[in-house]
């Protein structure tokens, strides 16, 4: 009886040992998987840098913004694409700064400086854009610096470049071309060289700061033959200046907003403004409503480019 009892005990011990071994083999791979594939910790917001693609980090795309509708005058026909052209993605760091500001990751003020001719000196166009951006993004400064009758070469003085640099901009916008194109001896080569000099000086004072160019809206030139009334015809050099600006921006890594094309280009830009009654009697400058419309369209182009960046 004692031997039989011991035999049963040994069998029970053997079964227990086998069961333990099977269970160990069954669970050990799962333990190894968890040990090898530990999930990374979530990054803290304050540790996120502005030069990374935080869309990938957070896996969310809720920061795109609705683009407001604009009621254009009934006279406006054959409009072009209202968009920013940024073939090398020079504005990506700027869009990321805006995104971080909107998400609350940073509270640093983003600064935009917009320089140009009398269209900018009148304040209405740039301030319309600036106010719209401030409503959406909050801590954003938009400074306009325009000079009546200015060419881009007007700003190539060291003191003017220093004045721009002292504002510590995150983006510089250049709006010229109207006065260059009103020179009846206009030279595309000279215009290109003058833009190159201005951009060179700005880049030396503001390394790494992206720049965006805008094209002129279009204008007329006037004629008076003997004692006849002054007559106006579309300035044929505007389209040449626009192409020179676009060519320069593309060759030198600048973004561009082609306002001339957006409002109808060589076929309709001037006619649209004139027939809508938004040009001043000099057929060069615009009524306040015209400049407001330019500012709103520029804002929409900026917002669309920002949304495109967020959706990448």
């Amino acid at each position: 009886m004692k031997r039989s009892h011991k035999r049963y005990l040994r069998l029970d011990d053997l079964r227990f040992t086998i069961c333990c071994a099977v269970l160990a083999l069954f669970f050990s791979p799962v333990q190894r998987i968890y040990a090898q594939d530990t999930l990374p910790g979530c990054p803290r917001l304050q540790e996120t840098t502005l030069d990374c693609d935080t869309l990938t980090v957070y896996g969310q795309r809720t920061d795109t913004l609705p683009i407001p509708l604009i009621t254009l005058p009934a006279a406006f026909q054959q409009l072009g694409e209202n968009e920013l052209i940024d073939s090398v993605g020079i504005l990506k760091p700027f869009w990321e700064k805006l995104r971080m500001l909107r998400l609350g990751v940073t509270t640093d003020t983003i600064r935009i400086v917009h320089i140009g001719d009398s269209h900018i000196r009148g304040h209405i166009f740039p301030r319309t854009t600036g106010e719209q951006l401030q409503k959406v993004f909050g801590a954003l400064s938009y400074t306009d610096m325009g000079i009546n009758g200015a060419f881009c070469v007007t700003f190539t003085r060291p003191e003017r470049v220093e004045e721009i640099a002292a504002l510590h901009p995150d983006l510089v916008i250049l709006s010229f071309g109207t006065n260059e194109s009103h020179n009846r001896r206009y030279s595309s080569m000279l215009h290109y060289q003058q833009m190159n000099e201005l951009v060179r000086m700005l880049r030396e004072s503001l390394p790494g700061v992206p720049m965006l160019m805008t094209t002129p809206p279009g204008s007329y030139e006037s004629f008076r033959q003997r004692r006849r009334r002054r007559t106006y015809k579309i300035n044929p050099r505007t389209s040449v200046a626009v192409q020179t600006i676009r060519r320069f921006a593309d060759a030198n890594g600048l973004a561009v907003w082609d306002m001339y094309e957006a409002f109808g280009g060589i076929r309709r830009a001037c006619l649209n403004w004139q027939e809508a009654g938004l040009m001043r009697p000099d057929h060069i400058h615009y009524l306040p409503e015209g400049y407001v419309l330019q500012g709103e369209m520029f804002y929409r182009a900026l917002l669309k480019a920002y949304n495109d960046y967020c959706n990448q």
Side-chain angles (χ1 to χ4, degrees), residues 70-100:
I70 297 177
T71 302
L72 295 170
F76 277 35
Q77 302 175 27
Q78 300 179 32
L79 299 179
E81 291 293 329
N82 182 36
E83 60 182 3
L84 297 186
I85 302 168
D86 184 11
S87 57
V88 299
I90 193 173
L91 296 179
K92 285 185 177 181
F94 176 72
W95 302 137
E96 185 65 10
K97 288 181 179 181
L98 282 182
R99 216 176 65 81
M100 292 293 96

Side-chain angles (χ1 to χ4, degrees), residues 3 13-14 41 46-47 61 74 76 101 108 125 137 155 173 183 189 205 223 237-238 241 278 281 292 300:
R3 291 180 180 176
D13 291 341
L14 182 59
Q46 60 267 30
E47 294 175 351
R61 303 178 188 275
F76 277 35
L101 180 64
D108 295 337
F125 162 31
F137 294 101
F155 279 83
I173 303 172
N183 182 352
M189 182 180 298
S205 298
F223 296 89
R237 295 175 295 278
T238 301
L278 293 174
V292 167
R300 291 181 86 249

Side-chain angles (χ1 to χ4, degrees), residues 212-252:
L212 164 64
M213 306 186 82
T214 75
T215 61
S219 60
Y220 290 74
E221 56 182 355
S222 61
F223 296 89
R224 177 177 288 173
Q225 296 178 350
R226 298 181 181 179
R227 295 184 179 181
R228 296 180 181 179
R229 291 182 57 186
R230 185 174 295 277
T231 59
Y232 297 88
K233 75 170 187 177
I234 294 172
N235 182 356
R237 295 175 295 278
T238 301
S239 61
V240 182
V242 167
Q243 291 305 313
T244 304
I245 291 170
R246 290 191 56 161
R247 182 163 51 87
F248 174 83
D250 182 64
N252 291 275

Side-chain angles (χ1 to χ4, degrees), residues 24-36:
L25 290 171
F26 182 78
F27 284 107
S28 58
V30 177
Q31 291 171 349
R32 290 194 192 98
I33 289 172
Y34 279 113
Q36 293 171 1

Side-chain angles (χ1 to χ4, degrees), residues 264-276:
I266 192 171
R267 300 175 305 279
R268 287 292 308 180
C270 290
L271 293 174
N272 282 338
W273 291 113
Q274 182 188 20
E275 292 174 7

Side-chain angles (χ1 to χ4, degrees), residues 33-67:
I33 289 172
Y34 279 113
Q36 293 171 1
D37 298 337
T38 303
L39 291 174
C42 294
R44 297 178 182 177
L45 288 178
Q46 60 267 30
E47 294 175 351
T48 304
T49 57
L50 293 180
D51 58 350
C52 70
D53 186 1
T54 48
L55 278 173
T56 304
V57 173
Y58 293 112
Q60 59 182 14
R61 303 178 188 275
T62 59
D63 45 352
T64 55
L65 296 165
I67 299 177

